[in-house]
Amino acid sequence: MTYYVYHIPGVKVGCTTNLQRRVTDQQGYNSNEYEVLLETKNINEASIKEQVSQLEFGYKKDLKLYDLLRYTSEQY
C-alpha cells in the first residue's frame, strides 16, 4: 500500500492512501490545489512526516499518528 502526505496550502497537511477519494471527492480540492509532500510504502514514515509537516507549516498537529487512526476509520 502507498501512503501520501499532502498539503493543501492555507488549510492542512494530511495523510491518505487514496488522494482522489480523500482530497478530491471528500474534501472538494482539485489536483492543482494541493501538493504531495511524500509518497511512501512505509506507514510509520508517512505518519511522522504528516505531523512534522503540520508543525512546519504552522497547522495544529494531529493528536494521533496516522498509523493509529487507520484502525479506527475507513475515511483515511
Side-chain angles (χ1 to χ4, degrees):
M1 185 172 292
T2 302
Y3 301 93
Y4 302 91
V5 177
Y6 62 91
H7 176 222
I8 304 168
V11 180
K12 69 178 282 185
V13 170
C15 189
T16 187
T17 58
N18 188 325
L19 288 167
Q20 176 66 40
R21 186 183 74 224
R22 180 71 177 140
V23 183
T24 302
D25 298 343
Q26 291 179 355
Q27 296 181 26
Y29 294 97
N30 295 316
S31 60
N32 65 338
E33 296 178 291
Y34 65 89
E35 61 183 324
V36 175
L37 303 175
L38 177 68
E39 181 177 333
T40 183
K41 300 243 183 245
N42 184 320
I43 191 168
N44 295 320
E45 181 182 17
S47 296
I48 292 167
K49 176 68 173 174
E50 179 188 28
Q51 285 198 337
V52 168
S53 296
Q54 287 168 342
L55 294 175
E56 287 178 345
F57 286 104
Y59 303 118
K60 185 175 106 178
K61 186 180 83 166
D62 288 346
L63 296 178
K64 287 188 177 180
L65 289 170
Y66 177 80
D67 63 342
L68 298 176
L69 288 176
R70 71 187 174 119
Y71 295 111
T72 59
S73 176
E74 292 297 318
Q75 70 180 347
Y76 295 97

